[in-house]
Amino acid sequence: MLNRILPHPYLTLLLTIFWLQLVNKVTLGNVLLGFALAVIIPAMTEPYWPDRPRVRRPFRAISYVGLVLWDIVLANIEVAKIVLFKPAADIRSQWVSVPLDLKSPEAIAVLAGTITLTPGTVSAMLAADGGAILVHCLHTDNPDAVRDEIKTRYEARLKEIFE
Amino acid sequence: MLSEIFISALLVIGGVFGLVGSYGLVKLRDAMQRLHAPTKATTVGIGGILCASIAIAWLERGVASTHELLITLFLFVTAPVTANFIAKAYMHRNIEAASLPQTETSCGWAGYAPPPGENEPPSGDKSN
C-alpha cells in the first residue's frame, strides 16, 4: 500500500524540501501542501519517465555532492591560475576519451554534469553506444591522469550510488 | 562588524571569480577553450554571492534563508546542459571526427557515427 502511494520516497522527500525552500518559510500548512504536491507530481509524471532509477545509497549521494563541491572550489583556483598567468600559446588543450563502466543513463548524466562543473574539463559527447565519454581538457600534459581521476574519483562513487 | 567583513569577503571572492571567467572568454583562443570560462563563473562566482546572501539574511537579519541553495541547484542542473549544447554545435561545424581520440568501443562518437545496429550515418545533427 505504502509502495503504491509513494513509489519513490526519496523523490517525494526531495520535492517537499524544494517546496519549503521555494516558499522559504516552514509552517505546518506549507509542509502539508508541499507533501501533497510531492505525492501528486511523481504520480503524474510516471508515464514520461518509466524506469526511474532507485538511489541505492542516499548517504553516499550526499557525500558525493560534498566531494564535488570541494573539488569545484579547488579546480576553480587551478583554472583561474591558468587563465590569469599562462600565456595563451602555452595552454595545451586536449581531448580525453574516458571509457565508461556506468550503464544507467541517469548516472551517466550526473557524471557528465560533474565533469563539466569541475572547471578545467568539459564533457562534450558520448560514444554512440554509450560506452565512452569525450572530455575536453583545458590544460593538461597527462591525459591518462585526467582519465584515471575521473574514473576513480567520480565514476566509481556513482557506480556505488546508482548500481 | 566581523559579519560585515565576512560577507564582504564572500562578495569579493564571487566577483573576482566572475571577472576571471569573463576575462577567460576574451583570452582563450577557440570556442572549446572558452567554454571552460563560464563554467567557472557559474560555480564559485555565483556560489560566493549566494553564500553572501545567505550570510546577510542569517547574520544581519536573523532569518534562516535557504532560497539560495535552490538557485545553486538550478544552475548546477542547467549549466552543464547548456555547455554540452554549445560544445556539440561547435563540434558539428568545426571539428572532424578524425581529430578526436578513439572511443575504444565498437561505435564512434555519437555526433559522427550511427548508433549500434544502424549502418546509415545519422542525417543532420541527430546526436545522442
Side-chain angles (χ1 to χ4, degrees):
Chain A
M1 186 59 194
L2 191 67
N3 261 357
R4 279 190 49 198
I5 302 173
L6 294 177
H8 300 280
Y10 293 125
L11 187 59
T12 303
L13 182 68
L14 204 66
L15 285 173
T16 312
I17 294 172
F18 274 17
W19 179 258
L20 291 176
Q21 287 193 321
L22 274 174
V23 294
N24 218 6
K25 206 182 280 172
V26 182
T27 62
L28 182 65
N30 280 333
V31 174
L32 284 176
L33 182 56
F35 184 72
L37 286 171
V39 172
I40 295 166
I41 292 170
M44 280 176 66
T45 53
E46 184 76 47
Y48 310 109
W49 188 7
D51 298 313
R52 261 176 226 180
R54 291 176 182 277
V55 175
R56 303 255 175 257
R57 296 192 176 98
F59 292 105
R60 297 223 176 182
I62 294 168
S63 79
Y64 180 78
V65 171
L67 174 91
V68 170
L69 287 178
W70 177 241
D71 282 2
I72 285 174
V73 174
L74 289 188
N76 258 291
I77 296 166
E78 204 62 33
V79 174
K81 272 195 230 154
I82 294 177
V83 166
L84 288 177
F85 303 121
K86 238 181 201 335
D90 283 359
I91 298 177
R92 285 179 295 279
S93 296
Q94 295 203 34
W95 294 102
V96 181
S97 162
V98 181
L100 289 176
D101 295 321
L102 291 170
K103 293 282 172 286
S104 131
E106 288 83 4
I108 295 177
V110 174
L111 179 68
T114 308
I115 291 171
T116 302
L117 280 176
T118 48
T121 50
V122 167
S123 55
M125 211 172 254
L126 278 180
D129 60 356
I133 189 166
L134 182 63
V135 175
H136 187 265
C137 198
L138 178 61
H139 174 82
T140 183
D141 292 320
N142 190 353
D144 288 347
V146 174
R147 188 194 62 203
D148 292 343
E149 194 190 343
I150 289 171
K151 281 199 79 72
T152 54
R153 206 169 167 81
Y154 305 122
E155 196 195 7
R157 284 183 169 83
L158 283 175
K159 211 172 162 60
E160 283 181 351
I161 293 168
F162 281 97
E163 289 171 10
Chain B
M1 181 60 199
L2 210 62
S3 68
E4 274 173 26
I5 294 173
F6 177 65
I7 292 163
S8 317
L10 283 173
L11 283 174
V12 169
I13 290 170
V16 165
F17 275 98
L19 187 67
V20 172
S22 318
Y23 174 63
L25 276 180
V26 179
K27 183 185 173 183
L28 298 172
R29 283 166 301 168
D30 63 45
M32 281 312 296
Q33 283 190 346
R34 287 194 191 110
L35 261 186
H36 292 276
T39 57
K40 239 190 346 286
T42 54
T43 50
V44 171
I46 303 282
I49 287 161
L50 293 177
C51 285
S53 166
I54 295 177
I56 286 177
W58 194 41
L59 298 173
E60 300 279 307
R61 297 190 200 125
V63 235
S65 169
T66 51
H67 252 140
E68 290 82 1
L69 294 178
L70 272 190
I71 301 178
T72 319
L73 184 92
F74 292 149
L75 271 178
F76 277 22
V77 172
T78 52
V81 178
T82 323
N84 192 257
F85 278 3
I86 297 172
K88 276 196 171 144
Y90 175 76
M91 289 171 77
H92 280 297
R93 295 183 63 133
N94 298 299
I95 294 179
E96 299 288 321
S99 65
L100 297 173
Q102 296 294 311
T103 58
E104 294 165 37
T105 68
S106 54
C107 295
W109 296 109
Y112 300 95
E118 267 180 47
N119 292 320
E120 293 296 310
S123 59
D125 56 357
K126 200 175 68 179
S127 54
N128 259 351

